[in-house]
Amino acid sequence: MEKSVVSVVRVGADVESAVRRAIELAGGLDGLIGPESRVLIKPNICSRDRSGTGKITDARITGAVTKIILERKPSRVVIGEGSAVGYDFPDLQDTMMALEESGTKAEAERLGVPVVDLNRDSHREVEIPGALAMKTVKIASTVLESDVIISIPVMKTHIRSAITLSLKNMKGVMPGGEKRKTHQLGLELAIADLNTAVKPHFTVVDGLVGMEGLWEYPDDCVRPGLVGASRDPVALDSVFARIMGVEVREVMHLQYCQEKGLGIADPERIEVCGEAISEVRRPFRPAFEAVKSRYPGLAVLGEKACTGCTNEFISTLIYIRLAQQVDRLSGLTVVLGEAPEVLPAEKAVAIGKCAQRLEGRFPFVPGCPPGVDEITRKVCEVCHIDIRLVLQKREELHRTIAGKAMRESI
């Protein structure tokens, strides 16, 4: 039985050498990239953060991969990304700002490679054969015009999909409205459908620094010091899920992708080269475990919430914790995403457009997604927290080095 090959390499002082070794162990790029190839390099720059925070792909990894690809002299190389929901407002907050903050834009300029904001690119509607949830999807033209897609995710757990690696990284090829749609239709089903249309041809995963829990910087930083690669994105995600201590059978989008024939998730059918999983395994803390331990007494209903609302709310929690007002959250229920028909709660806040059916019955914060300040004010009002104290702590945080890396993030 032929097995999918995934490499796992420890990274020392020379990041580029580690990336080269990972690519070579995974079978290399021969037969994949030639003189006529049009290559899209797709890092995960989901938010406006600096390299080294673990929230976004480290620019050093993106630069090393780009350099290696350029050595093969393809006809075109582009670095493209469409950052998360809320990053599609030119001159206010958009992907280009995130690419600049991360250092990715500077790497691209150094190597003479253009960068493209896939949120603002023209888009085309694509039909998905054998769709599980999403029959059609809008995809950036730059992506569809590429012969080879190289995905460069960063190691992170995720509040909705357990992990976010190569397969989920492809959400960046869609405009903001389409990203929201994936949550409404069922995120993990939609990830499988999306990769049916635009599956990466090769993946290099950034495991220098990753994120667990709620992606709070620096508390949730994890430093595996790894890089990995594979021609099979499903197999790569399976291996790095295991490294993060996540059971592969519990990651539904991996199962769906395997069933659709997009790759191999079954550990028995994957060959790991380089470091053994047992030697580098480091369990990452799940998001809801972090919520329960840091915010006891707070209930969060967010089964179909997108990252837009979720991440703005997590920022609110960070500010309240810094203000030492966590005790006042006890008994609060927060609804993110699609609201339930019945909500047996005395104290609740509904956040975002998808929870609008609760407006009138419970305090409601409109928006898609609403801003963190609006969410913070409403939660403080309901929980009788001094908003001035919370905003003061927020400003103090933003003046620190950690705050600069975290600002407008997640």
Side-chain angles (χ1 to χ4, degrees):
M1 180 189 301
E2 187 174 348
K3 294 186 175 183
S4 290
V5 177
V6 178
S7 66
V8 180
V9 174
R10 293 186 191 270
V11 182
D14 190 340
V15 172
E16 183 183 320
S17 293
V19 171
R20 287 185 182 276
R21 182 163 184 262
I23 290 174
E24 290 168 3
L25 287 175
L29 300 173
D30 287 347
L32 184 62
I33 299 175
E36 303 301 319
S37 299
R38 296 168 296 176
V39 182
L40 169 70
I41 297 170
K42 168 64 178 73
N44 180 359
I45 313 296
C46 60
S47 57
R48 194 173 175 182
D49 287 287
R50 296 182 303 169
S51 290
T53 61
K55 293 181 186 178
I56 50 94
T57 302
D58 194 297
R60 291 173 295 171
I61 300 289
T62 302
V65 172
T66 303
K67 181 179 177 182
I68 292 166
I69 290 171
L70 286 171
E71 291 170 355
R72 308 187 76 84
K73 301 187 184 306
S75 65
R76 187 189 75 181
V77 178
V78 174
I79 296 174
E81 171 64 309
S83 297
V85 173
Y87 277 82
D88 42 12
F89 299 100
D91 303 321
L92 179 63
Q93 179 170 267
D94 65 7
T95 301
M96 296 307 292
M97 294 178 182
L99 288 167
E100 184 170 358
E101 182 79 7
S102 68
T104 306
K105 185 178 178 182
E107 278 292 301
E109 291 172 350
R110 181 179 68 84
L111 295 167
V113 172
V115 294
V116 177
D117 180 348
L118 300 180
N119 282 340
R120 299 176 65 185
D121 197 14
S122 61
H123 294 84
R124 301 209 299 264
E125 192 94 15
V126 175
E127 291 188 6
I128 298 175
L132 301 175
M134 193 166 57
K135 294 182 180 179
T136 65
V137 61
K138 292 178 182 177
I139 295 174
S141 297
T142 297
V143 179
L144 297 175
E145 293 164 1
S146 299
D147 305 310
V148 181
I149 299 172
I150 310 294
S151 177
I152 317 181
V154 59
M155 285 179 70
K156 295 184 289 189
T157 51
H158 192 269
I159 199 167
R160 287 286 315 284
S161 56
I163 60 170
T164 171
L165 289 164
S166 183
L167 298 166
K168 188 174 178 297
N169 184 38
M170 294 309 295
K171 281 189 64 181
V173 307
M174 303 183 293
E178 297 292 279
K179 292 182 178 75
R180 297 182 184 97
K181 184 172 76 173
T182 63
H183 291 269
Q184 296 162 353
L185 295 174
L187 178 58
E188 301 208 74
L189 293 167
I191 290 172
D193 285 339
L194 174 61
N195 280 270
T196 303
V198 282
K199 185 182 77 169
H201 298 86
F202 199 92
T203 298
V204 177
V205 61
D206 169 15
L208 297 179
V209 183
M211 273 286 172
E212 63 181 0
L214 298 173
W215 299 3
E216 293 185 19
Y217 180 88
D219 296 1
D220 291 329
C221 285
V222 184
R223 302 182 184 278
L226 301 173
V227 65
S230 182
R231 291 197 177 203
D232 182 344
V234 182
L236 182 137
D237 286 11
S238 175
V239 167
F240 277 82
R242 291 160 65 197
I243 290 173
M244 292 189 286
V246 178
E247 291 286 344
V248 173
R249 64 176 179 272
E250 296 177 2
V251 184
M252 295 312 300
H253 67 268
L254 292 184
Q255 305 308 317
Y256 297 144
C257 285
Q258 179 171 262
E259 290 167 9
K260 287 171 74 73
L262 301 178
I264 303 301
D266 181 359
E268 297 298 321
R269 297 169 60 193
I270 299 172
E271 178 183 352
V272 179
C273 297
E275 302 291 336
I277 292 176
S278 60
E279 294 298 317
V280 295
R281 185 177 182 273
R282 192 286 194 191
F284 282 37
R285 192 180 198 189
F288 280 110
E289 183 180 311
V291 171
K292 290 176 183 177
S293 64
R294 292 178 190 165
Y295 308 97
L298 171 67
V300 179
L301 305 181
E303 184 178 346
K304 292 188 177 181
C306 73
T307 49
C309 286
T310 301
N311 293 333
E312 296 298 321
F313 173 61
I314 289 172
S315 293
T316 290
L317 292 181
I318 295 170
Y319 303 149
I320 290 174
R321 183 156 66 96
L322 288 172
Q324 299 182 349
Q325 299 295 305
V326 169
D327 289 349
R328 290 185 177 270
L329 295 173
S330 183
L332 176 67
T333 297
V334 173
V335 180
L336 304 163
E338 186 175 320
E341 292 286 349
V342 179
L343 182 62
E346 295 182 3
K347 185 169 69 172
V349 174
I351 297 174
K353 180 180 177 181
C354 297
Q356 192 166 3
R357 71 166 60 171
L358 295 177
E359 185 178 12
R361 287 187 281 164
F362 295 96
F364 172 65
V365 187
C368 190
V372 63
D373 285 357
E374 288 74 21
I375 295 172
T376 302
R377 291 181 186 281
K378 186 62 68 175
V379 170
C380 287
E381 176 188 325
V382 170
C383 296
H384 305 292
I385 297 172
D386 186 346
I387 183 64
R388 294 170 299 178
L389 175 61
V390 174
L391 294 180
Q392 176 187 337
K393 293 299 180 181
R394 181 197 65 179
E395 292 307 312
E396 290 175 2
L397 175 66
H398 287 179
R399 286 195 294 268
T400 65
I401 295 174
K404 183 178 180 183
M406 174 251 187
R407 187 164 50 235
E408 295 177 2
S409 70
I410 320 182

